[in-house]
Amino acid sequence: MAGVGPRLRALRRARSATLAALADETGLTASTLSRLENGKLRPTLEQLLPLARAHGVPLDDLVAAPPTGDPRVHLRPVRRAGLVMVPLTTRAGGIQAYKVIYPPAGRASTLNLQTHEGYEWFYVLDGSVRFLLGEREFRLGVGEAAEFDTGTPHWIGSADSRPAELLALFGAQGQRAHLAPSGR
């Protein structure tokens, strides 16, 4: 743990971020960040998790954990609003890959278009997808892909009586929007 402070400082400086900017990004105070970087405060997990996300590095990189030697991703599906999202990547920050399974048409909990920062890309693995993007509607089948700015109101769901399976890529903003606890 003694090397955490210098690693945090090096990561922040490599991004040319100020303590104030990092404080805004993580919800930690600039004073706390300074004390962590100088080794005057022993870091807690609650402090390291937002720092790992902000710097786009795995938590293991911050604490210099020894490599596990096991590169496999242990799939743990997340169920939200009728969707099943299976994370295919485990690296904190950056682009994340998910297998997304949409329930058959008519079984989705909502048809509300949403917006958030970032871009998304998806590829239809199985089934047929109804894709609403602003005022336009598209139907995509197996082997088709779409890429779009998520600042445009959008909605994705199965287009027929079968579930639709997609491979989706999105950044942290998309992850927060799609994996937020129910009710948010």
Side-chain angles (χ1 to χ4, degrees), residues 103-184:
R107 293 190 194 168
S109 63
T110 180
L111 191 80
N112 293 332
L113 278 68
Q114 63 175 314
T115 62
H116 51 87
E117 291 180 46
Y119 285 84
E120 287 189 28
W121 174 93
F122 69 84
Y123 176 86
V124 182
L125 297 168
D126 191 36
S128 183
V129 172
R130 181 177 176 206
F131 175 40
L132 305 177
L133 184 64
E135 300 292 321
R136 300 175 70 192
E137 182 171 336
F138 303 90
R139 188 178 181 122
L140 290 86
V142 173
E144 291 187 283
E147 178 180 24
F148 59 100
D149 180 337
T150 56
T152 304
H154 60 281
W155 179 89
I156 304 167
S158 175
D160 56 35
S161 62
R162 298 182 314 134
E165 295 185 17
L166 282 66
L167 173 62
L169 302 176
F170 44 81
Q173 303 94 338
Q175 189 174 1
R176 283 191 295 273
H178 294 292
L179 295 175
S182 297
R184 274 188 67 185

Side-chain angles (χ1 to χ4, degrees), residues 17-155:
T18 64
L19 286 171
L22 187 57
D24 288 342
E25 194 174 357
T26 61
L28 301 171
T29 67
S31 172
T32 297
L33 293 169
S34 176
R35 289 183 293 146
L36 286 169
E37 288 185 3
N38 292 320
K40 295 180 180 173
L41 179 65
R42 184 177 173 92
T44 66
L45 186 59
E46 289 79 17
Q47 294 164 332
L48 291 175
L49 288 173
L51 286 165
R53 274 192 299 275
H55 292 308
V57 299
L59 184 60
D60 291 353
D61 285 3
L62 294 183
V63 296
T68 63
D70 185 354
R72 293 176 295 176
V73 176
H74 301 284
L75 308 177
R76 290 183 179 83
V78 176
R79 288 166 171 59
R80 292 281 186 271
L83 301 178
V84 177
M85 299 187 70
V86 182
L88 302 175
T89 52
T90 58
R91 183 175 182 267
I95 302 297
Q96 301 295 317
Y98 289 87
K99 178 178 180 181
V100 183
I101 303 167
Y102 289 91
R107 293 190 194 168
S109 63
T110 180
L111 191 80
N112 293 332
L113 278 68
Q114 63 175 314
T115 62
H116 51 87
E117 291 180 46
Y119 285 84
E120 287 189 28
W121 174 93
F122 69 84
Y123 176 86
V124 182
L125 297 168
D126 191 36
S128 183
V129 172
R130 181 177 176 206
F131 175 40
L132 305 177
L133 184 64
E135 300 292 321
R136 300 175 70 192
E137 182 171 336
F138 303 90
R139 188 178 181 122
L140 290 86
V142 173
E144 291 187 283
E147 178 180 24
F148 59 100
D149 180 337
T150 56
T152 304
H154 60 281
W155 179 89

Side-chain angles (χ1 to χ4, degrees), residues 1-27:
M1 293 296 276
V4 172
R7 281 190 288 281
L8 288 172
R9 183 180 307 108
L11 285 166
R12 180 179 57 80
R13 287 182 175 166
R15 293 176 52 217
S16 300
T18 64
L19 286 171
L22 187 57
D24 288 342
E25 194 174 357
T26 61

